[in-house]
Amino acid sequence: MSSLLVPLYVHPAVDPAAWRALVAVAPRLYGVVLNAADGPGAAPDPAFAAAAHALRGAGVRVLGYVDAAYGERPVREVAADLDRHLDFYRVDGCFLDRIAPGRRELRHCRRLVRRARERGVAPVVLNPGTHPASPGYARAADLLVTFEGHWTTYLRSFSAPPWTARHSPDRFCHLVYGVPPALSDLAARTAARRGAGVHCAVPGAGPNPWTVPPVLPSPPEPPGPPRRPQIPDCWV
């Protein structure tokens, strides 16, 4: 069953139940992205600090959100955001959003990943939101988001370049919004069939669809007891 990377971009004081729901399903989570203010913010937020503490206490990795601005932000600014995330919220890993997917931008992306690893941040998740032009992005990241978009787009137009087959599915993630709750199981199966071992499917839409937690796909049914063979009466 695919594990879940959950970007939950709602303040814990606004929807505390959403954050508690993630703690309750901790074993099924790859991690949770913490985004206090399009990044760590200028000062620690006690509500986010408490939410991060609760998640870590349940064994969930907390990933600090950092905007890479498609290569427009200098490395030092991204590194400063990482430092604040570590200082304010003691994050485990980072979610580098809006990664430029071109071949020319790969060198800059590698520098961002290097700064994260120098700080002991893990996992490092890169989100170009599409398949990047070079497999070097997959080699640089612990997890690469190769789709972020609406459910209808996900169903209608998705293709993966051949180089993805050389990597394990647990290196790829699909983030899908606008998913009808009744189709969450289908979304999980679709992600797995398309080679993504990590996914998230939420019903939200609009400018910020990640304000609601995902509707969890059904867990696989445990195997039942072995059936005893039926012996025909004529054998008795």
Side-chain angles (χ1 to χ4, degrees), residues 149-153 155 175-181 183 200-206 209-210 212:
H150 196 275
W151 173 240
T152 55
T153 304
L155 292 178
L175 300 177
V176 191
Y177 53 83
V179 180
L183 299 182
C200 187
V202 300
W210 306 107
V212 292

Side-chain angles (χ1 to χ4, degrees), residues 10-187:
V10 63
H11 197 281
V14 172
D15 191 355
W19 290 87
R20 289 195 298 268
L22 296 183
V23 172
V25 296
R28 301 178 65 178
L29 301 182
Y30 177 93
V32 173
V33 182
L34 186 150
N35 184 6
D38 289 330
D45 184 312
F48 276 106
H53 179 76
L55 288 167
R56 285 196 311 274
V60 179
R61 295 181 293 192
V62 178
L63 282 57
Y65 176 95
V66 178
D67 182 11
Y70 298 113
E72 295 299 319
R73 292 189 75 194
V75 173
R76 65 178 181 277
E77 288 187 9
V78 172
D81 274 2
L82 290 171
D83 288 337
R84 283 192 289 271
H85 269 301
L86 289 165
D87 184 35
F88 297 169
Y89 307 115
R90 297 175 58 195
V91 297
D92 304 286
C94 65
F95 182 87
L96 298 178
D97 196 23
R98 300 206 300 163
I99 291 290
R103 290 183 180 274
R104 288 187 300 176
E105 292 84 9
L106 177 57
R107 177 178 296 182
H108 179 76
C109 179
R110 283 173 170 159
R111 292 177 65 196
L112 300 182
V113 173
R114 190 179 312 120
R115 294 297 184 274
R117 300 206 186 282
E118 288 170 353
R119 287 156 173 77
V121 171
V124 176
V125 180
L126 300 179
N127 181 23
T130 187
H131 287 95
S134 169
Y137 287 89
R139 292 192 292 268
D142 296 308
L143 184 69
L144 182 66
V145 179
T146 55
F147 181 88
E148 181 179 359
H150 196 275
W151 173 240
T152 55
T153 304
Y154 190 51
L155 292 178
R156 185 176 60 248
S157 58
F158 179 90
S159 61
W163 58 259
T164 59
R166 299 195 294 270
H167 298 272
S168 171
D170 62 11
R171 301 291 297 278
F172 298 108
C173 175
H174 295 166
L175 300 177
V176 191
Y177 53 83
V179 180
L183 299 182
S184 61
D185 282 3
L186 176 60

